[in-house]
């Protein structure tokens, strides 16, 4: 991997995607591991043959894409299913995200990794870690409104993610998204200038 890479993470409902898009507007490149995962599990996706071989044809929908409802059901009933799925997806996601970061010609890359803390190795591949943060109550209300889930369902998702404290512990920069967009614009603009400067310093040091 070459260039300057900023790992961007945050819990569900924190507003990672919004922040990532604001960095793109500033001129950063975006490599989103969620997007890569969806591409790998779409109809004809590179991961689907192995997923079907591992979990059976019932895990794919009529078009041949991953049936996420069926997969979620399987994960809840079989504690090993999540680990087996991740063992298929994570090496492919890492390979593709590394390649896209290396190929970028932008001044720096935002590498959006929702489970950056949990995955461990991603933090070693980033020059900086930026964490999008907001109170848990805000996360819950946003996800309930956006996904139509109950509070208990959202709390169950939060339970399997890293805690707010764990994310903040690895952050070089924290982006507060508790108050919405108004405060995000100046913060992202400020960090954009910082990352441009750091990227330039790294490029000079590597010459």
């Amino acid at each position: 991997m070459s260039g300057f890479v900023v790992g961007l993470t945050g819990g569900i409902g924190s507003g990672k995607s919004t922040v990532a898009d604001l960095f793109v507007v500033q001129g950063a490149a975006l490599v989103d591991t969620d997007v890569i995962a969806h591409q790998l599990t779409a109809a004809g996706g590179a991961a689907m043959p192995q997923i079907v071989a591992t979990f059976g044809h019932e895990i794919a929908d009529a078009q041949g894409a991953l049936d996420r409802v069926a997969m979620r059901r399987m994960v809840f009933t079989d504690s090993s299913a999540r680990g087996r799925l991740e063992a298929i997806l994570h090496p492919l996601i890492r390979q593709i995200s590394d390649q896209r970061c290396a190929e970028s010609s932008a001044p720096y890359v935002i590498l959006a990794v929702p489970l950056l803390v949990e995955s461990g190795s991603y933090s070693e591949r980033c020059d900086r870690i930026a964490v999008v943060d907001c109170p848990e109550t805000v996360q819950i209300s946003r996800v309930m409104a956006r996904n139509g889930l109950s509070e208990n369902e959202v709390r169950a998702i939060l339970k399997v993610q890293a805690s707010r404290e764990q994310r903040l512990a690895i952050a070089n920069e924290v982006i507060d998204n508790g108050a919405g967009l108004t405060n995000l614009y100046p913060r992202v603009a400020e960090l954009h200038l910082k990352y441009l400067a750091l990227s330039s310093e790294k490029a000079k040091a590597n010459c």
Side-chain angles (χ1 to χ4, degrees), residues 19-201:
V19 171
D21 289 343
L22 291 176
F23 274 110
V24 171
V25 170
Q26 293 285 339
L30 173 62
V31 176
D32 189 329
T33 58
D34 258 358
V35 171
I36 295 171
H38 278 83
Q39 291 168 346
L40 288 169
T41 55
M48 285 311 298
Q50 195 176 351
I51 290 174
V52 170
T54 301
F55 297 102
H57 287 281
E58 65 273 14
I59 211 68
D61 63 20
Q63 287 72 44
L66 179 66
D67 184 331
R68 297 183 183 282
V69 174
M71 190 72 236
R72 200 174 298 123
R73 196 178 301 124
M74 188 174 288
V75 166
F76 276 117
T77 57
D78 178 0
S79 59
S80 72
R82 181 190 298 275
R84 285 183 288 149
L85 179 65
E86 289 175 349
I88 296 168
L89 287 175
H90 284 186
L92 291 169
I93 293 170
R94 175 167 182 155
Q95 177 188 347
I96 294 168
S97 61
D98 278 356
Q99 182 181 350
R100 292 182 182 177
C101 286
E103 290 173 350
S104 171
S105 59
Y108 64 94
V109 176
I110 294 292
L111 177 61
V113 187
L115 302 181
L116 188 143
V117 178
E118 297 87 333
S119 62
S121 65
Y122 276 99
S123 58
E124 300 160 12
R125 299 157 57 206
C126 301
D127 296 283
R128 305 290 289 182
I129 303 293
V131 171
V132 184
D133 181 58
C134 67
E136 190 175 280
T137 52
V138 176
Q139 286 180 263
I140 292 168
S141 62
R142 283 177 181 164
V143 178
M144 287 173 65
R146 183 183 69 196
N147 298 78
L149 300 176
S150 69
E151 182 175 340
N152 286 340
E153 287 173 317
V154 181
R155 288 191 181 278
I157 295 170
L158 289 172
K159 203 170 183 181
V160 300
Q161 293 190 347
S163 69
R164 185 182 184 188
E165 291 73 25
Q166 287 172 315
R167 281 190 296 272
L168 292 174
I170 68 163
N172 297 115
E173 285 80 39
V174 176
I175 301 169
D176 182 0
N177 191 25
L181 280 171
T182 308
N183 296 331
L184 281 184
Y185 291 113
R187 179 60 171 152
V188 169
E190 171 194 358
L191 289 178
H192 172 66
L193 294 177
K194 179 174 184 173
Y195 295 147
L196 285 178
L198 291 171
S199 176
S200 178
E201 287 175 18

